[in-house]
């Protein structure tokens, strides 16, 4: 009976060690802020390394099938390989259905906003739009007045 007790305790003792090792090493996902950063990965001398890059969602090799293609062809598809919002490179399975942190934050923010805040935001946007239109009209009138003053002035 003591053998049965010792085997579960040894399993319990062994299980926290890998769990803490995994939690202490969070998987770092490479993020690229701009499209130019991603395009820099696809230059001729770095293209083979690019083809071995991992998917930001699942961790599999994302671009293995592009290894036999020309870098110029793949560069044209950069928008479908990279999420502009979160900056991760994505495999085909996750391009359209990945869990983008930025989209999740936006959805959560929208869920928290109440009706009054939405109305205030719309009202503020309308007021800003009216102010910009008024400023643009004032600028046009000032330019028209300056032009009229120059054309009606004395000619030498």
């Amino acid at each position: 009976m003591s053998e049965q007790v010792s085997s579960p305790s040894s399993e319990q003792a062994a299980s926290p060690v890998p769990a803490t090792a995994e939690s202490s090493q969070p998987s770092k996902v490479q993020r690229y802020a701009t499209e130019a950063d991603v395009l820099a990965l696809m230059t001729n001398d770095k293209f083979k390394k690019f083809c071995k890059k991992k998917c930001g969602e699942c961790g599999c090799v994302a671009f293995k099938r592009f290894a036999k293609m020309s870098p110029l062809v793949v560069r044209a598809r950069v928008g479908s390989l990279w999420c502009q919002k979160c900056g991760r490179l994505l495999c085909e399975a996750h391009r359209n259905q990945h869990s983008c942190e930025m989209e999740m934050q936006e959805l959560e923010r929208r869920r928290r906003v109440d009706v009054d805040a939405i109305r205030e935001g719309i009202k503020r946007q309308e007021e800003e739009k009216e102010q910009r239109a008024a400023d643009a009209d004032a600028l046009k009138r000032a330019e028209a007045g300056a032009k009229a003053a120059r054309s009606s002035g004395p000619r030498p």
Side-chain angles (χ1 to χ4, degrees):
M1 185 155 181
S2 64
E3 293 176 12
Q4 293 175 351
V5 174
S6 64
S7 63
S9 64
S10 64
E11 290 174 11
Q12 291 173 354
S15 63
V17 173
T20 56
E22 290 174 4
S23 64
S24 67
Q25 295 177 347
S27 60
K28 297 220 175 188
V29 177
Q30 184 70 34
R31 296 179 190 273
Y32 301 94
T34 63
E35 189 172 332
D37 295 340
V38 179
L39 290 173
L41 294 173
M42 294 185 202
T43 57
N44 288 334
D45 55 336
K46 297 179 186 176
F47 188 69
K48 288 187 179 186
K49 289 181 182 178
F50 169 77
C51 291
K52 295 176 184 175
K53 290 282 184 186
K54 305 246 184 233
C55 173
E57 183 75 16
C58 65
C60 70
V61 178
F63 311 115
K64 190 174 189 178
R65 73 182 196 112
F66 295 131
K68 296 177 183 168
M69 292 181 153
S70 168
L72 295 174
V73 174
V74 179
R75 287 174 69 101
R77 300 187 58 196
V78 71
S80 66
L81 307 173
W82 166 69
C83 177
Q84 188 174 5
K85 293 179 182 173
C86 66
R88 294 187 287 179
L89 296 174
L90 301 164
C91 66
E92 289 182 37
H94 294 106
R95 286 185 194 141
N96 297 323
Q97 54 186 356
H98 76 286
S99 57
C100 183
E101 295 90 9
M102 303 304 168
E103 289 178 2
M104 297 294 185
Q105 288 174 356
E106 181 64 22
L107 289 173
E108 187 63 32
R109 186 189 66 79
R110 287 183 182 176
R111 279 189 214 129
R112 290 184 184 148
V113 175
D114 62 341
V115 176
D116 294 332
I118 293 171
R119 287 184 183 137
E120 289 175 14
I122 292 171
K123 185 177 178 182
R124 190 175 345 105
Q125 287 175 349
E126 289 174 355
E127 290 172 355
E128 290 172 359
K129 184 178 178 182
E130 291 172 0
Q131 182 64 35
R132 284 192 301 266
D135 291 344
D137 288 341
L139 183 63
K140 285 181 183 178
R141 278 187 260 129
E143 288 176 356
K147 187 176 183 182
R150 277 186 263 150
S151 64
S152 65
R155 293 187 183 191

